[in-house]
């Protein structure tokens, strides 16, 4: 599928989705963000290690900073709504920068898009020094009755040791 | 190996020692640049320090890069199968010879001038040796080896002191509690350890796992509220019947929650039958097996900076539980930061499906994104700020570690307890934490 207008259209859908998503997450409108998640969501942030150049991968096959489905994301959002969820009280101030979006339809019905993009998250929390998390997202979006939803996401972080006291935010 | 200490630091430590039996601890020990310098020498460079689990380096040549204190050490299985712990510093000009977190190598070749070391640490090759280094004695110029390396049930430790106690003597009674887990079956590390940096002193983590049961009701309340953990395990008081705090283990401490019931109610921390079927009572004494059988939650700390935790968790309400055995290390990174390293151990013989469930529930509970862990680190990071305050330092502000002390409560000692150490029949007391601190003061004051 190398049709240029189709690629352009797929990228436009993907960018609209990613920008909306970033906005909801940055504004901490988490229940609305949940609605963007497909019922069969598969969401992973594999642990990364520093390896020699000859290594075939630097990502762990079995260890994850997050390994989620729709229900576990719901559980996390419910927990953050508790008045005892100290991790995000006071809440982080975040800003997600999404760029370098490449997108392709993955099926002839144009209901699935494979997306690659870069993500930079700025996070400030209380008086702590602000941190950045940086990585690549590999997403699959799928179109349903409610519009586009996130079907799967793998976040390939550039960090081995995370520079953050916790990952109480979604990437 | 005597290390210098400033008069101010010495005075602080002696004052801490003198007030310690009253349960008073200076706040500033949780963020003091001088003390953190001293502890790298006196605590980390002369006690047995955990480095790796053997399953991370199963084959000859397998290595992982780890730290003792803040220094880089290669943990490698050499060609003969012996585990070596090598300072990652070329003997020629000091460049690091290992640049990856893990891998497999028959040799480590220094990139600066090309000196090459076997994975045993022996110097094997020096470029232009015949022309320019004829008299060089290769035997004297191998990578520096940790003088003492030993393992306990798959846990690899090293000690850098010239005169070290045997590892088994060092571990003493805590080995009995570790083995209640590790002797049941063979465990392996699931994937790679989690690593992240938290702006808190490493001792806060070590103390927390040694016996800060008191924090769970408050800090972890949200997890119970959304049904990710049975509330009974976090409640104190009457519900605390089977709770025991074990101290008197020479700097190590354990915290247990167990509940002896009818035979068909065996707990084993919630491991499913597909796992418990593989448990073998042969490897342990009957008292250990009994304890395992009725255990619901265990934590503990091996001085100085290794902790463990075992319990069953879920990642969403109503899901089948997975039992997590976690190893946790609190690595100092200056006075007000630590790098957390966290390993998930799974029974080697468990199914792939079960291992994946454990990966999911462990990540959802204790990891950088853990529903439990996130709240602990959020609180701990605030301690460093107050501990570093001029006020705390100049007034020698003291913290209260008096919970459960004589006069504060009448806590019974379990006279029928079959394990080593002193078993108190309450989880509302600070004995385990004071055990860690007492050992820390001793080490810090020992020249
Ligand atoms: S520093 Fe390693 S060979 Fe020179
Ligand atoms: Fe905790």
């Amino acid at each position: 599928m190398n049709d240029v207008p189709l690629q352009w259209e797929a990228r436009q859908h993907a960018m609209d989705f990613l920008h909306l998503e970033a906005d909801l997450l940055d504004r901490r409108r988490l229940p609305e963000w949940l609605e963007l998640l497909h019922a069969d969501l598969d969401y992973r942030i594999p642990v990364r290690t520093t390896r020699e150049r000859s290594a075939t991968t630097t990502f762990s096959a079995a260890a994850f900073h997050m390994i989620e489905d729709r229900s576990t994301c719901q559980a996390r959002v419910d927990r953050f709504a508790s008045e005892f969820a100290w991790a995000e009280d006071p809440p982080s101030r975040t800003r997600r920068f999404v760029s370098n979006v490449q997108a392709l339809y993955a099926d002839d019905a144009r209901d699935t898009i494979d997306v690659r993009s870069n993500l930079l998250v700025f996070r400030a929390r209380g008086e702590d020094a602000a941190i950045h998390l940086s990585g690549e997202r590999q997403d699959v979006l799928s179109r349903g009755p409610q519009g586009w939803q996130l079907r799967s996401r793998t976040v390939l972080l550039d960090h081995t040791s995370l520079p953050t006291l916790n990952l109480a935010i979604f990437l | 190996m005597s290390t210098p200490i400033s008069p101010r630091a010495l005075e602080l430590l002696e004052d801490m020692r003198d007030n310690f039996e009253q349960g008073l601890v200076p706040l500033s020990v949780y963020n003091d640049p001088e003390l953190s310098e001293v502890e790298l020498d006196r605590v980390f460079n002369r006690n047995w320090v955990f480095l790796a689990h053997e399953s991370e380096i199963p084959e000859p040549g397998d290595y992982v890069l780890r730290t003792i204190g803040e220094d880089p050490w290669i943990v490698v299985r050499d060609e003969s199968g012996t585990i070596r712990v090598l300072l990652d510093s070329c003997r020629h000009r000091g460049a690091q010879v290992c640049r990856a977190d893990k891998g497999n190598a028959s040799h480590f070749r220094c990139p600066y001038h090309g000196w090459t070391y076997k994975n045993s640490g022996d110097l094997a090759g020096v470029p232009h040796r015949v022309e320019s280094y004829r008299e060089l004695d290769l035997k004297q110029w191998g990578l520096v080896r940790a003088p003492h390396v030993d393992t306990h049930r798959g846990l690899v430790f090293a000690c850098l002191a010239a005169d070290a106690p045997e590892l088994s003597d060092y571990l003493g009674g805590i080995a009995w509690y570790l083995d209640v887990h590790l002797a049941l079956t063979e465990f392996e590390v699931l994937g790679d350890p989690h690593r992240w940096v938290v702006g808190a002193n490493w001792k806060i983590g070590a103390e927390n796992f040694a016996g800060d049961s008191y924090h769970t009701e408050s800090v972890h309340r949200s997890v119970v509220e959304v049904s990710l953990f049975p509330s009974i395990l976090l409640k104190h008081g009457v519900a605390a019947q089977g709770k025991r705090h074990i101290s008197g283990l020479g700097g190590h401490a354990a915290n247990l929650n167990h509940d002896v019931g009818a035979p068909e109610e065996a707990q084993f921390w919630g491991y499913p039958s597909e796992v418990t079927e593989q448990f073998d009572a042969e490897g342990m004494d009957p008292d250990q097996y009994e304890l395992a059988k009725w255990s619901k939650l265990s934590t503990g700390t091996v001085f100085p900076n290794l902790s463990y935790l075992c319990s069953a968790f879920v990642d969403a309400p109503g899901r089948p539980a997975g039992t997590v055995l976690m190893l946790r290390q609190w690595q100092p990174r200056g006075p007000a930061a630590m790098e957390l390293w966290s390993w998930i151990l799974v029974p080697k013989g468990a199914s792939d499906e079960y291992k994946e469930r454990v990966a999911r529930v462990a990540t959802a509970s204790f990891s950088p994104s853990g529903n439990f862990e996130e709240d602990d680190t959020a609180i701990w990071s605030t301690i460093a700020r107050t501990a570093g305050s001029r006020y705390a330092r100049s007034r020698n502000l003291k913290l209260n570690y008096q919970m459960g002390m004589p006069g504060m409560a009448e806590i019974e000692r379990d006279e029928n307890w079959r394990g080593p150490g002193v078993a108190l029949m309450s989880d509302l007391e600070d004995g385990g934490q004071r055990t860690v601190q007492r050992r820390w003061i001793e080490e810090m004051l020992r020249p």
Side-chain angles (χ1 to χ4, degrees):
Chain A
M1 229 185 294
N2 287 321
D3 190 303
V4 171
L6 285 185
Q7 271 186 32
W8 182 85
E9 189 189 68
R11 187 169 70 219
Q12 200 58 48
H13 283 307
M15 290 204 304
D16 286 349
F17 180 90
L18 295 174
H19 290 163
L20 168 67
E21 186 201 16
D23 188 60
L24 291 176
L25 288 172
D26 286 343
R27 291 176 200 282
R28 301 180 51 254
R29 285 157 60 172
L30 296 177
E32 287 166 78
W33 175 74
L34 284 175
E35 289 169 20
L36 297 182
L37 305 182
H38 192 276
D40 298 323
L41 172 73
D42 181 33
Y43 176 122
R44 295 163 187 245
I45 309 174
V47 168
R48 188 169 204 164
T49 51
T50 299
R51 306 294 304 272
E52 290 178 325
R53 194 161 58 190
S54 58
T56 48
T57 178
T58 62
F59 291 98
S60 181
F64 302 89
H65 292 300
M66 288 179 85
I67 175 165
E68 306 298 305
D69 54 39
R70 182 71 171 63
S71 304
T72 62
C73 288
Q74 175 82 53
R76 288 176 183 278
V77 170
D78 290 348
R79 192 179 83 76
F80 289 135
S82 155
E83 76 178 281
F84 307 104
W86 316 110
E88 279 293 283
D89 188 7
S92 306
R93 298 172 290 274
T94 62
R95 202 161 295 279
R96 289 165 176 76
F97 298 86
V98 180
S99 75
N100 304 49
V101 178
Q102 293 180 287
L104 278 182
Y105 285 119
D107 65 341
D108 290 330
R110 292 196 255 158
D111 282 339
T112 307
I113 308 176
D114 288 337
V115 194
R116 270 197 301 151
S117 62
N118 288 350
L119 176 71
L120 182 69
V121 185
F122 171 91
R123 183 186 191 197
R125 193 185 167 286
E127 300 298 318
D128 294 350
I131 60 117
H132 290 92
L133 291 168
S134 156
E136 173 184 329
R137 279 170 167 171
Q138 296 176 347
D139 295 340
V140 176
L141 306 182
S142 84
R143 179 153 40 194
Q146 287 97 43
W148 293 100
Q149 286 189 312
L150 184 65
R151 173 73 180 72
S152 78
R153 166 167 292 167
T154 303
V155 184
L156 301 174
L157 285 174
D158 298 317
H159 311 268
T160 52
S161 182
L162 304 187
T164 179
L165 85 171
N166 62 26
L167 253 191
I169 56 172
F170 292 97
L171 297 183
Chain B
M1 199 163 34
S2 177
T3 49
I5 181 166
S6 74
R8 188 197 69 85
L10 187 63
E11 192 186 333
L12 177 69
L13 289 165
E14 284 172 348
D15 176 76
M16 178 172 170
R17 179 193 58 200
D18 296 343
N19 287 285
F20 185 71
E21 293 313 320
Q22 295 161 51
L24 300 176
V25 173
L27 171 56
S28 57
V29 303
Y30 299 103
N31 185 354
D32 186 292
E34 283 182 43
L35 291 183
S36 99
E37 284 292 312
V38 174
E39 67 190 6
L40 290 176
D41 289 318
R42 295 192 172 182
V43 174
F44 289 94
N45 271 8
R46 66 185 189 188
N47 279 281
W48 283 94
V49 174
F50 174 75
L51 286 163
H53 189 269
E54 272 195 79
S55 67
E56 296 181 276
I57 47 168
E59 303 297 330
D62 284 350
Y63 69 86
V64 289
L65 188 60
R66 295 287 146 90
T67 57
I68 298 178
E70 300 189 20
D71 302 344
W73 291 83
I74 307 166
V75 185
V76 56
R77 191 179 289 277
D78 74 13
E79 297 309 315
S80 72
T82 306
I83 296 174
R84 305 285 188 183
V85 176
L86 310 169
L87 185 64
D88 184 15
S89 173
C90 179
R91 296 297 304 286
H92 179 235
R93 291 289 184 278
Q96 279 189 270
V97 301
C98 177
R99 290 170 308 285
D101 292 337
K102 64 173 189 176
N104 183 282
S106 62
H107 291 78
F108 296 102
R109 184 173 186 275
C110 179
Y112 202 2
H113 311 90
W115 285 27
T116 303
Y117 304 88
K118 291 182 193 166
N119 57 19
S120 59
D122 295 335
L123 181 58
V126 172
H128 301 290
R129 187 171 157 221
V130 182
E131 302 145 75
S132 322
Y133 254 134
R134 250 187 336 258
E135 296 292 310
L136 185 75
D137 181 3
L138 294 191
K139 278 194 212 65
Q140 284 188 27
W141 293 97
L143 292 174
V144 168
R145 281 181 187 157
H148 307 280
V149 178
D150 203 352
T151 62
H152 177 81
R153 299 254 180 217
L155 312 183
V156 180
F157 292 82
C159 181
L160 302 181
D163 54 338
E166 295 292 322
L167 177 63
S168 55
D169 292 337
Y170 179 85
L171 293 175
I174 195 70
W176 194 92
Y177 295 97
L178 284 169
D179 290 356
V180 168
H181 304 268
L182 298 175
L184 282 167
T185 186
E186 191 178 349
F187 286 88
E188 64 181 7
V189 171
L190 199 143
D192 295 279
H194 292 116
R195 293 169 58 190
W196 71 111
V197 176
V198 172
N201 187 271
W202 68 274
K203 296 191 284 297
I204 292 289
E207 285 176 27
N208 178 282
F209 276 60
D212 191 335
S213 310
Y214 189 36
H215 83 290
T216 54
E217 266 185 27
S218 172
V219 167
H220 300 305
R221 185 155 163 195
S222 68
V223 186
V224 173
E225 269 191 357
V226 295
S227 306
L228 292 175
F229 199 67
S231 64
I232 190 82
L233 287 182
L234 295 187
K235 281 239 177 64
H236 312 297
V238 179
Q241 291 302 343
K243 299 199 173 183
R244 296 288 182 279
H245 270 192
I246 317 290
S247 51
L249 302 173
H252 321 300
N255 163 32
L256 309 159
N257 186 343
H258 71 304
D259 196 0
V260 179
E264 67 278 9
E265 293 164 352
Q267 304 271 347
F268 288 112
W269 304 275
Y271 279 113
S273 55
E274 70 149 295
V275 171
T276 56
E277 276 162 15
Q278 298 173 20
F279 285 170
D280 184 3
E282 295 297 302
M284 48 174 56
D285 77 40
D287 294 329
Q288 285 173 301
Y289 192 74
E290 268 303 289
L291 181 58
K293 196 163 161 184
W294 303 115
S295 283
K296 298 194 288 191
L297 183 149
S298 316
T299 73
T301 290
V302 181
F303 187 86
N305 67 334
L306 173 68
S307 295
Y308 64 93
L309 174 147
C310 187
S311 192
F313 302 96
V314 296
D315 55 353
R319 291 273 177 86
T323 296
V324 177
L325 175 57
M326 179 182 73
L327 295 178
R328 168 57 56 84
Q329 198 172 23
W330 322 97
Q331 302 277 21
R333 296 292 178 260
M338 62 173 143
E339 185 170 333
L340 279 74
W341 285 66
S342 190
W343 293 258
I344 303 164
L345 295 185
V346 285
K348 198 171 179 184
S351 65
D352 289 345
E353 289 78 8
Y354 184 69
K355 288 177 185 175
E356 174 164 348
R357 195 195 309 164
V358 172
R360 285 176 181 271
V361 301
T363 304
S365 46
F366 282 91
S367 82
S369 74
N371 288 308
F372 279 81
E373 190 97 53
E374 286 177 356
D375 294 331
D376 285 305
T377 55
I379 309 296
W380 294 347
S381 66
T382 66
I383 298 172
R385 187 156 184 230
T386 67
S389 69
R390 295 284 141 180
Y391 190 87
R393 203 167 293 170
S394 63
R395 307 296 168 92
N396 194 2
L397 196 63
K398 301 285 204 303
L399 298 177
N400 189 303
Y401 280 83
Q402 298 174 325
M403 183 181 234
M405 281 174 66
M408 294 284 178
E410 278 74 56
I411 296 176
E412 272 179 71
R413 184 178 164 156
D414 186 346
E415 301 297 346
N416 300 317
W417 189 251
R418 311 297 286 262
V422 176
L424 295 184
M425 298 172 73
S426 170
D427 61 345
L428 289 174
E429 64 91 41
D430 291 331
Q433 297 170 82
R434 289 197 305 270
T435 299
V436 175
Q437 290 162 335
R438 186 179 292 114
R439 176 68 183 268
W440 181 82
I441 303 172
E442 280 168 19
E443 295 295 323
M444 292 291 279
L445 284 173
R446 186 156 63 88

